[in-house]
Amino acid sequence: MKYISTRGNAPELEFEDVLLTGLASDGGLYVPKELPHYSLDEIRSWRDLPYAELAFKVIKPFVGGAIEDSALQSMINDTYAGFAHNAVAPLAQIDNNEYVLELFQGPTLAFKDFALQLLGRLLDHVLTKRNERGVIIGATSGDTGSAAIEGCKHSDRLDIFIMYPHNRVSEVQRRQMTTIKGDNVYNLAVEGNFDDCQGMLKACFADQSFLKGERRLIAVNSINWARIMAQVVYYFYASLNLGGPDRDMAFSVPTGNFGDIFAGYLAHKMGLPVKQLIVATNKNDILHRAISQNKYEKHPLAQTLSPSMDIVVSSNFERLLFDVYGRDGAALSQLMQKMNTETVEFDAQGMAAVRQLFDSYSVDDDVTCETIKQLYGETGYLLDPHTAIGVKAARECRRDAKTPMITLGTAHPVKFTQAIEKAGLEAPKLPHHLQDLFEREERFTVMQNDLDELKSFVAKTIFA
Ligand SMILES: *Cc1c(COP(=O)(O)O)cnc(C)c1O
């Protein structure tokens, strides 16, 4: 499979290079040149497959011939064997024809595990084959960091540096990052906010001279195509378990960077009958405003009880816009330049088409807590604040009661006890494998919001 940049001015790449590359050289994001498409008969034939076998079917065409089938299947098997539930992505029913897809059964208790536990294995495999070493620098508002560290800690081909905003991630999130043992793992608590971390990350990719050409810099945030690819699988899995592809499905997705819901859009384009995709946001609602009012305007960052969705701009939205603009990279490139500095409106016809599939909704902290409390009262089921935003948006935007409504359960409630307590409920207990999290030793380095300090720390560490 060939991959092209959304800005139309970077070389076409094969899977291996897309895996190892972050942004395209023209500043765009890589997307498949052509998507595989499946008939209903083919999709139906996958109905009884266990998660890891379904994952192999869905992922294989994206990898092309880059990795032998047996190696790919065994990496996928190992990845999902590490999840705490045999179904990997179980469905919990919360009302008539309404479900939560539990994507928090992985080692770090958020949906990021689906992609990052696999990504670590894919990177190690490819770097070993090439006899190369890589450096991961990542910026996280919480969940990406622990999942990436967990996924990469075993690789002796990788050094991993994770920046997070000092004192601004939840205690469970921080401890999940800082207590993972690994000689190749460095946690950097940056005196700044998530945007500052992301800004430094972008600057590292833009000028990699501090790596002296001896190491490859690898992205683990959702601009990395391999993350999106792994997330397509659970849309198929959920649908097949509820009577798909012979029924339409609706999905509500707690959204920040637009990676997770973009995977749902791809599943739809690959032939899965999806009737509705709901973009559920917190107060950081740039996507809600873009979809409902066709106005793309940056607002300052708001800190909320759902920190993993606290964003100013959503980088993966560019991948959808690429289709909205008829895959015209030059037109999109111009638009993206404009979006940096001013409020823009998108092509009206293109956005009307987007709204046939997508709806959007924004939920503030108070309503998030009310929703947690309400659902707990109705069912005894405890939602984390991100998932609660998804459930609320699902109930507000639902188009018909006959189509199963599936909210993606993006995190385990134990990660975000502040919202649970605000809802007047008791915080849940840590799952078995994290029982002693609060006794484990933490390792992190506090760092100024300073690019030179970051670069010299990385260089000093890897070339020591
Ligand atoms: C990352 C994350 C999200 C947002 O996902 P995107 O792919 O960035 O839209 C939502 N909920 C949780 C718990 C997350 O960790």
Side-chain angles (χ1 to χ4, degrees):
M1 178 168 301
K2 290 250 191 287
Y3 291 85
I4 54 174
S5 164
T6 50
R7 302 204 189 167
N9 202 15
E12 277 185 26
L13 298 180
E14 299 281 347
F15 176 76
E16 244 185 62
D17 288 303
V18 166
L19 176 72
L20 298 171
T21 308
L23 281 182
S25 55
D26 58 2
L29 303 179
Y30 275 104
V31 289
K33 195 170 182 183
E34 268 171 77
L35 277 179
H37 191 274
Y38 301 103
S39 68
L40 294 182
D41 281 343
E42 279 170 289
I43 296 171
R44 198 178 295 114
S45 75
W46 300 343
R47 194 173 265 170
D48 300 318
L49 294 180
Y51 191 90
E53 285 175 39
L54 178 67
F56 178 74
K57 296 263 187 220
V58 173
I59 289 171
K60 183 181 151 56
F62 291 111
V63 173
I67 297 171
E68 326 75 82
D69 284 358
S70 59
L72 181 62
Q73 180 74 74
S74 85
M75 280 188 268
I76 291 173
N77 290 350
D78 290 350
T79 297
Y80 299 112
F83 280 49
H85 194 298
N86 281 342
V88 182
L91 282 157
Q93 187 162 5
I94 55 169
D95 204 338
N96 295 312
N97 227 6
E98 199 186 346
Y99 303 85
V100 168
L101 181 64
E102 295 189 342
L103 301 176
F104 48 74
Q105 303 283 350
T108 72
L109 311 179
F111 85 86
K112 307 273 194 313
D113 282 326
F114 275 84
L116 285 164
Q117 303 311 317
L118 181 62
L119 184 67
R121 290 175 167 85
L122 292 169
L123 288 172
D124 190 59
H125 180 89
V126 167
L127 290 170
T128 303
K129 190 171 86 180
R130 294 183 171 206
N131 195 21
E132 283 182 28
R133 292 183 56 88
V135 176
I136 288 173
I137 304 179
T140 185
S141 53
D143 297 329
T144 299
S146 54
I149 293 170
E150 186 70 37
C152 299
K153 68 180 181 187
H154 294 303
S155 174
D156 52 19
R157 298 272 160 189
L158 290 166
D159 290 295
I160 173 160
F161 298 83
I162 297 291
M163 293 180 271
Y164 62 89
H166 191 34
N167 294 328
R168 293 197 196 190
V169 300
S170 83
E171 181 163 12
V172 172
Q173 285 182 311
R174 187 192 74 235
R175 286 182 171 274
Q176 281 186 309
M177 292 188 272
T178 59
T179 62
I180 301 177
K181 291 205 179 84
D183 299 336
N184 56 344
V185 174
Y186 305 91
N187 285 288
L188 308 174
V190 173
E191 308 256 27
N193 62 29
F194 174 60
D195 266 11
D196 297 326
C197 299
Q198 216 165 16
M200 286 202 279
L201 177 62
K202 278 204 181 128
C204 287
F205 273 95
D207 175 11
Q208 303 184 16
S209 55
F210 67 110
L211 299 175
K212 304 179 190 167
E214 293 172 31
R215 291 281 203 287
R216 188 188 268 281
L217 188 57
I218 297 169
V220 288
N221 56 343
S222 54
I223 63 169
N224 191 314
W225 168 258
R227 275 188 60 179
I228 309 274
M229 155 190 104
Q231 291 168 200
V232 175
V233 179
Y234 45 71
Y235 288 89
F236 279 92
Y237 186 74
S239 166
L240 287 164
N241 276 281
L242 290 175
D246 300 304
R247 288 170 99 186
D248 283 330
M249 297 290 148
F251 292 92
S252 176
V253 187
T255 295
N257 237 336
F258 204 76
D260 208 5
I261 195 164
F262 185 72
Y265 168 76
L266 293 178
H268 166 72
K269 294 225 313 177
M270 288 161 69
L272 186 72
V274 175
K275 193 168 189 182
Q276 185 186 19
L277 290 170
I278 300 169
V279 176
T281 74
N282 63 21
K283 276 212 91 140
N284 297 289
D285 61 348
I286 187 165
L287 288 174
H288 173 51
R289 287 179 279 116
I291 291 168
S292 61
Q293 301 163 25
N294 192 11
K295 197 190 244 183
Y296 194 87
E297 181 179 40
K298 287 187 221 177
H299 287 182
L301 189 78
Q303 274 196 56
T304 72
L305 293 173
S306 44
S308 304
M309 289 153 58
D310 287 351
I311 46 89
V312 174
V313 295
S314 291
S315 33
N316 281 295
F317 196 56
E318 178 169 345
R319 288 185 158 123
L320 181 68
L321 289 175
F322 187 52
D323 284 357
V324 169
Y325 282 81
R327 310 202 115 207
D328 177 348
L332 191 60
S333 180
Q334 260 187 354
L335 181 78
M336 298 305 297
Q337 299 293 341
K338 217 168 130 190
M339 279 162 68
N340 273 334
T341 51
E342 54 190 284
T343 302
V344 297
E345 272 181 31
F346 301 121
D347 176 71
Q349 222 178 335
M351 286 309 280
V354 163
R355 278 195 291 268
Q356 304 217 327
L357 181 63
F358 287 91
D359 283 292
S360 65
Y361 197 76
S362 159
V363 180
D364 68 18
D365 278 351
D366 287 345
V367 176
T368 303
C369 293
E370 272 167 35
T371 306
I372 293 173
K373 190 172 170 187
Q374 186 194 348
L375 196 84
Y376 189 76
E378 289 168 4
T379 62
Y381 192 78
L382 190 60
L383 297 169
D384 102 287
H386 305 81
T387 309
I389 288 170
V391 167
K392 177 65 181 172
R395 291 180 168 184
E396 292 294 329
C397 299
R398 194 166 193 181
R399 291 180 188 170
D400 72 79
K402 284 193 189 142
T403 307
M405 173 59 76
I406 304 163
T407 295
L408 270 49
T410 50
H412 192 293
V414 77
K415 284 189 102 158
F416 301 98
T417 52
Q418 202 193 351
I420 310 287
E421 282 159 6
K422 271 220 163 125
L425 300 170
E426 207 174 305
K429 287 211 169 65
L430 286 163
H432 186 71
H433 74 278
L434 292 171
Q435 246 2 217
D436 62 344
L437 185 67
F438 284 79
E439 281 104 67
R440 293 183 197 166
E441 189 196 340
E442 291 193 76
R443 289 192 312 176
F444 61 92
T445 306
V446 179
M447 180 169 283
Q448 299 299 309
N449 173 20
D450 181 294
L451 181 62
D452 289 332
E453 190 179 336
L454 170 71
K455 285 182 169 177
S456 67
F457 183 92
V458 172
K460 206 173 63 199
T461 307
I462 60 178
F463 297 119

